[in-house]
Each structure stands twice: as C-alpha cells, then as structure tokens.
Amino acid sequence: MQNKRLRGFLQNLALVLLSLSALFLLGSMPLFHISWTDQVQSLLAPHPASGGHAQSSTLADMFPSVHVMVTQDIEYRRYGRLYVPGDDPLLEQIIPLFQEALGSASETGASAELTLRSALDSPCLYLDLTTQLPLEAVAAWLGETAGFSREVRSMALTSEQEDTATLYLRSESGDIFRYNTALPVSAVREVCGSQTSNGSIFAYESNYAPLDPYTVLVAETPEAPAVQTELPAAYSVYNLLTALDFNAHPLFRYTESSGAEVVEESPRTLRVSPDGAVSFTSRGEDASPLYQVPAAGEQPTMPECLSAAGRLAAALTEGTGASPLYLRAVEMAEGGCTVRFGYHAGAIPVFFSDEKDALSVTISGAAITAFTYRCRAYTPTEDTSPLLPAAMAQAIASLYPEAGLSVGYVDGGAGPLAAHWLAG
C-alpha cells in the first residue's frame, strides 16, 4: 500500500516538473518574450475598446475650440469668448449658419481691410480658428464640401447686405476674400440678437496697434484650472501593440540602450520609449486597415486623409487612456500630406516647450507610413491658474509686433501645469 502511494506521489511530482520545464521553455522562446510587468499591467489597466479604431472620432471631434466674437449692433458693442468648444450651445447655433453659407458661397474677389472692418460693424458672427487650416479641412468640420481652395485662420458672417449674409475668409498672412451666400441675413441677426455685450473688442479697436488686428480681446480674465500632466496608467507596450494592430506577442522585440522597446513586424517598426514617446515607420503597404486611407478616387481627398489620421489618433487615445487629440495643422505635399495634432485641457490648448506636436501623421499615397506621438494625460485639479488681468496681458502682448493673444498651457515635463497668457 505504501509502495502504491509512493509511486503515485512520484508520478505526480514528475508531471509537475515536466509542466514547469515546458513553461520555462515556452517563456524562453521569442514568441513569448514579453515582460511580466506588461502582462500584469495590461490586466489591471483599462484596455482599448473593442474594435478601437473602428470607433474613430468624427471630423468635428478632431477640430479644436475656437474664439468667438458676436456683434449684435456696433452701438451696443460686442460679445467675445476664448476657446469655445464645439459642444457649446452658442457654437451649436453658429456652425450650421457657416455650413449653409459655405455651401452656397460664390466668390466676389479679394477684399480690403477697411471693407471687412466696416462689415464687422454690422450684426455679425466671427470665428477665429486659433490655427490656420486649409478650407477643405474647415469645410469637413462644418459638414460641407469646399468648391475652392483657401488657407483660413478666421471667418465672418456679416449682415451688411439687405437680404443675404456675406461670408469673409481671412488667412494668417492677412489675405481676405469675400463671398455672396444664399443664407438669409435674418438668420445671422437672430443669433446675434441673443447675445449681450461683455466688453470684448478686436485689437484694431484698441490702443494696442502692434497686435494682430483681429485678435479677440476679452475684458474679463478667463478662468483656467491648473492641470496635472502624467503618463496615463494604461501606457504600456502591450496596450500599444494591441491598439495599433500589432501582434501582442511579437517575434522580434528588443530594448535599446535608451530604454526604448523596439518591435519589428514587417513591413513596419514600432518604437516605444519610457517617457511616452512613440514612433512608427512602415517600409511598404501595410495590411492593417488602421494604416490604410480608403479613397473613392485614385488619390485620397483631404477629408479622407483627415478621417484616417483621426482613426489613428483615436486608437492611440483609447489604447492608452491618454487625453484626446485635436487637429492643429495639415500640410499638403506631392503624393501625400502631414496631419498634426495637439492636446487641449478643458478646451484650452497645451503646447510643448520644444514646440513639437503631440501627434504627427505622415500619409503617402493611400497609406499612413509614419507617425510620432507623445502620450500624455492632463487632469484638471482643484487649483486655479493665477492669470494676469486681461488689460495688463494685452498691454504686455502689444510689445510684440503682429502678435496675437490667447491662453494656453506649456508642458515642459511631468507635474502640475498652470495656464498662461501667450503672445504669438
């Protein structure tokens, strides 16, 4: 009886030893060479939503907040606000008007500064996009298509004509173009009549002549919370591989002397650094839908490129729990384009101290062939940012010729960030 029990014990022990040996061999293979830290973190941290990049943000979600100026009547002055987000009730009233105006716009030609300023004395709506974008991108945000090409920094709908509204498009360099529209002027007057003056003015109406003339100067100092910046909890190689359609257990993976982990999966390479920097390159056409740019024609249109870049931005955000990304610039080139994104914290933009992008996506032909990304999470705190009084900030900014004036955060590394007045 004792021999039988001993034999059973030895057999069980042998099975355990064989199992441990098998696990050790499997763990030594490159296929399973993924750190236990990553695996544990991937279980504890939030995972990408199922079908992450399929749930991409819309073009409207990608668009940044804008400065708004509403003029009810020049006698009663203006109502201005900085960084109004797209879901704000005021902007929800304004956007459909610009959409209808752009859809029916017919160009009458270049316009003089004096003509625009005179038109802005009528009941009008003015949007400063806070960044210059191609009209095709602006039209995509409005849910419209553009029948012509322009670079746009700001646009206005005015009621200078008796029956229909007039559309003005202005570039950062000061080029102004005027358009007749089919939008009834009464629609503009109705929205303008719903706002009461808060003392805001354009810079050209102030004593600060050196400023960019169409800078929106608010009378009251904006309130902005301090924010905490950090790497999100779900930032890991495993989560990024999953979010970016890589094999989560890659065959070829190594660590550089800098601490960055490199994953090679032909025809693409992913590099993930401990500080949140991520880069991707592809040597050829990628089979993953995430990196393809579906096009109705031979070459993708700008909205098609923006949609593809937006899907990638959403995949990175969802996969790591980072803050959302917003469109900052589009640069067209022969055979492709570069789409640049930045972060916002509570609708206020965050800039990096080295002036680089949060995400830069390179599109060549009908595919995303490269991107660089800085993974960050910005969490508002209970503290507020002590900003200078608006009048004092305007006086200081006027020392810099042609400067605009706005509020923003500057990220120089980990830790709390306070908002600042920025001239530039």
Side-chain angles (χ1 to χ4, degrees):
M1 188 68 164
Q2 289 180 346
N3 288 339
K4 187 175 181 180
R5 287 180 178 175
L6 178 61
R7 187 164 53 251
F9 172 77
L10 292 174
Q11 287 175 342
N12 289 336
L13 180 61
L15 287 172
V16 170
L17 292 173
L18 285 171
S19 298
L20 290 173
S21 176
L23 287 172
F24 174 78
L25 289 173
L26 284 171
S28 302
M29 294 173 64
L31 178 62
F32 291 90
H33 192 257
I34 186 166
S35 70
W36 288 108
T37 304
D38 275 357
Q39 294 186 42
V40 172
Q41 186 176 11
S42 70
L43 290 173
L44 298 178
H47 278 217
S50 176
H53 56 79
Q55 302 174 8
S56 62
S57 58
T58 65
L59 290 177
D61 294 331
M62 292 164 48
F63 215 85
S65 54
V66 298
H67 302 331
V68 176
M69 187 76 92
V70 180
T71 303
Q72 181 180 20
D73 189 291
I74 194 58
E75 182 180 349
Y76 300 104
R77 309 304 293 172
R78 310 184 193 273
Y79 171 86
R81 283 173 57 192
L82 303 181
Y83 297 121
V84 181
D87 59 357
D88 187 273
L90 175 58
L91 207 54
E92 287 179 342
Q93 293 181 69
I94 292 174
I95 285 178
L97 303 187
F98 277 93
Q99 178 186 25
E100 185 175 343
L102 183 61
S104 62
S106 60
E107 185 173 291
T108 61
S111 178
E113 292 262 359
L114 188 59
T115 303
L116 173 58
R117 294 183 189 184
S118 176
L120 291 175
D121 283 346
S122 68
C124 64
L125 303 168
Y126 181 89
L127 298 182
D128 178 349
L129 305 180
T130 75
T131 185
Q132 179 157 285
L133 292 169
L135 180 58
E136 286 179 282
V138 179
W141 167 55
L142 296 173
E144 189 53 70
T145 56
F148 41 87
S149 297
R150 287 278 176 265
E151 292 295 315
V152 182
R153 168 58 193 258
S154 61
M155 50 189 182
L157 275 176
T158 69
S159 58
E160 65 201 78
Q161 299 189 93
E162 185 176 344
D163 297 324
T164 57
T166 304
L167 173 67
Y168 288 87
L169 301 179
R170 180 178 180 271
S171 72
E172 213 154 42
S173 61
D175 296 326
I176 302 168
F177 287 86
R178 185 174 182 270
Y179 302 83
N180 290 327
T181 78
L183 177 69
V185 75
S186 58
V188 175
R189 290 181 177 272
E190 181 179 352
V191 175
C192 293
S194 66
Q195 302 302 317
T196 304
S197 169
N198 62 359
S200 299
I201 57 174
F202 288 109
Y204 69 79
E205 300 173 299
S206 72
N207 295 321
Y208 307 119
L211 286 173
D212 181 305
Y214 297 94
T215 299
V216 175
L217 301 180
V218 294
E220 298 179 1
T221 303
E223 291 187 1
V227 298
Q228 181 69 30
T229 177
E230 58 192 354
L231 278 177
Y235 178 76
S236 69
V237 177
Y238 180 88
N239 282 350
L240 282 165
L241 291 174
T242 303
L244 295 173
D245 270 0
F246 275 73
N247 184 350
H249 306 287
L251 282 170
F252 301 102
R253 172 177 174 175
Y254 60 91
T255 303
E256 295 179 329
S257 58
S258 63
E261 294 204 49
V262 181
V263 176
E264 294 187 359
E265 186 180 280
S266 183
R268 53 194 181 171
T269 300
L270 184 70
R271 180 175 280 97
V272 182
S273 299
D275 63 356
V278 181
S279 64
F280 164 92
T281 56
S282 178
R283 297 185 301 275
E285 186 174 345
D286 201 296
S288 168
L290 180 60
Y291 304 100
Q292 296 173 5
V293 184
E298 293 184 5
Q299 291 293 326
T301 63
M302 183 177 293
E304 289 167 343
C305 289
L306 291 176
S307 294
R311 286 194 300 273
L312 176 64
L316 288 165
T317 299
E318 294 165 7
T320 61
S323 291
L325 293 154
Y326 296 89
L327 182 64
R328 186 158 286 172
V330 184
E331 299 172 3
M332 301 302 296
E334 187 175 353
C337 68
T338 300
V339 185
R340 304 186 185 280
F341 293 84
Y343 287 115
H344 279 209
I348 297 175
V350 180
F351 301 95
F352 289 105
S353 55
D354 61 6
E355 300 183 354
K356 292 185 178 179
D357 303 303
L359 173 65
S360 178
V361 181
T362 301
I363 295 175
S364 302
I368 294 173
T369 54
F371 74 77
T372 57
Y373 174 56
R374 287 187 178 187
C375 188
R376 292 286 190 277
Y378 298 98
T379 307
T381 69
E382 295 181 355
D383 298 326
T384 57
S385 299
L387 290 167
L388 288 173
M392 187 179 296
Q394 293 161 15
I396 295 172
S398 67
L399 299 175
Y400 303 91
E402 296 300 317
L405 180 65
S406 59
V407 176
Y409 299 95
V410 179
D411 185 350
L417 301 180
H420 300 279
W421 288 105
L422 302 175

